[in-house]
Amino acid sequence: MNLSGNKKKVLSKLLALLNAFLAFSYHTPKSFTSTLKTTLKNSNFEKDIECHLRRNFIEKCAFSLAVGSTLAVFNPMVVYANDYTYLPEGSPKRAVSWYPLIKQQYSALNELLVNWDKIVPVGSSDGDAIRRKIGTVGVSSPLSAIKKTFSGIRDSTDVPDDVELVEFVEAYQAVLTDLSDAENDLYSANFAEFSGGGHLKGYNFILKAKKSLQSAKSNFDLVMESLDLLQ
């Protein structure tokens, strides 16, 4: 493959960016990351880039990007549940159509905290048990569509005049941040034992996640108050 100087630079930068992403992905085989690093250092650039592009580079990168996009579910900048899993009851352009779903999500978070000790007994390091409840593992929880719900209400055409959108947005962004913090700790809890920390360290991550979820509940209260939905 005959590449011009400019194309070489572009492809080199692309590989460097992808390599950086893959290096931080828990699901990327180390052998593949190592191969990319070797490719970047190899003087016979054209031959190696052709090999990787034609044989397995695109497929493996696409897989890693797909997996990576599903891991950080509660980061406010990432994609949430499938759009067909949880839907508004009516036109998505109307705020009231989203109210039944946001009530379900609020209840789900409250029920999680009420039943916490049953879901994760004292000493447990099973982060996935909680992640299923907050919608970051699977889509069985309505919380998996929480960002979509918040955005749907924010962008609706019939938000009541007495709703302060600024307060609503600030409150829901705080909820998303708290959920993201909890997700990070819950994910870490799953691997604490393998990193040498044992179950005690894993349980400490669980306790940190609980504090974040308690904060999320408090901020969710503010969201519901702003919409006059808190009973």
Side-chain angles (χ1 to χ4, degrees), residues 212-230:
S212 295
L213 292 173
Q214 289 171 332
S215 177
K217 169 60 168 56
S218 296
N219 286 313
F220 214 148
D221 287 343
L222 298 177
V223 170
M224 300 300 277
E225 284 179 3
S226 71
L227 299 173
D228 196 25
L229 295 177
L230 191 62

Side-chain angles (χ1 to χ4, degrees), residues 121-139:
V122 175
S124 172
S125 60
D126 184 9
D128 282 349
I130 301 297
R131 295 175 74 211
R132 292 186 186 93
K133 298 296 184 179
I134 62 175
T136 58
V137 172
V139 292

Side-chain angles (χ1 to χ4, degrees), residues 10 15 24 32 47 52 62 113 128 130 143 154-156 167 171 177 187 192 217 220:
V10 172
L15 274 173
F24 287 99
F32 182 52
K47 182 177 179 180
H52 284 286
L113 293 171
D128 282 349
I130 301 297
L143 286 167
R154 179 198 63 201
D155 299 334
S156 62
E167 294 180 3
T177 298
Y187 187 83
K217 169 60 168 56
F220 214 148

Side-chain angles (χ1 to χ4, degrees), residues 89-164:
E89 295 184 9
S91 171
K93 295 182 179 180
R94 300 191 63 203
V96 293
S97 297
W98 294 97
Y99 287 176
L101 183 53
I102 198 173
K103 289 179 181 179
Q104 291 179 45
Q105 292 160 339
Y106 179 76
S107 295
L109 181 56
N110 187 55
E111 289 172 6
L112 166 61
L113 293 171
V114 170
N115 299 302
W116 185 270
D117 291 337
K118 296 179 181 179
I119 300 170
V120 277
V122 175
S124 172
S125 60
D126 184 9
D128 282 349
I130 301 297
R131 295 175 74 211
R132 292 186 186 93
K133 298 296 184 179
I134 62 175
T136 58
V137 172
V139 292
S140 59
S141 169
L143 286 167
S144 60
I146 192 168
K147 184 176 184 293
K148 180 176 68 174
T149 303
F150 287 156
S151 299
I153 294 173
R154 179 198 63 201
D155 299 334
S156 62
T157 58
D158 65 335
V159 177
D161 293 336
D162 58 343
V163 172
E164 293 291 339

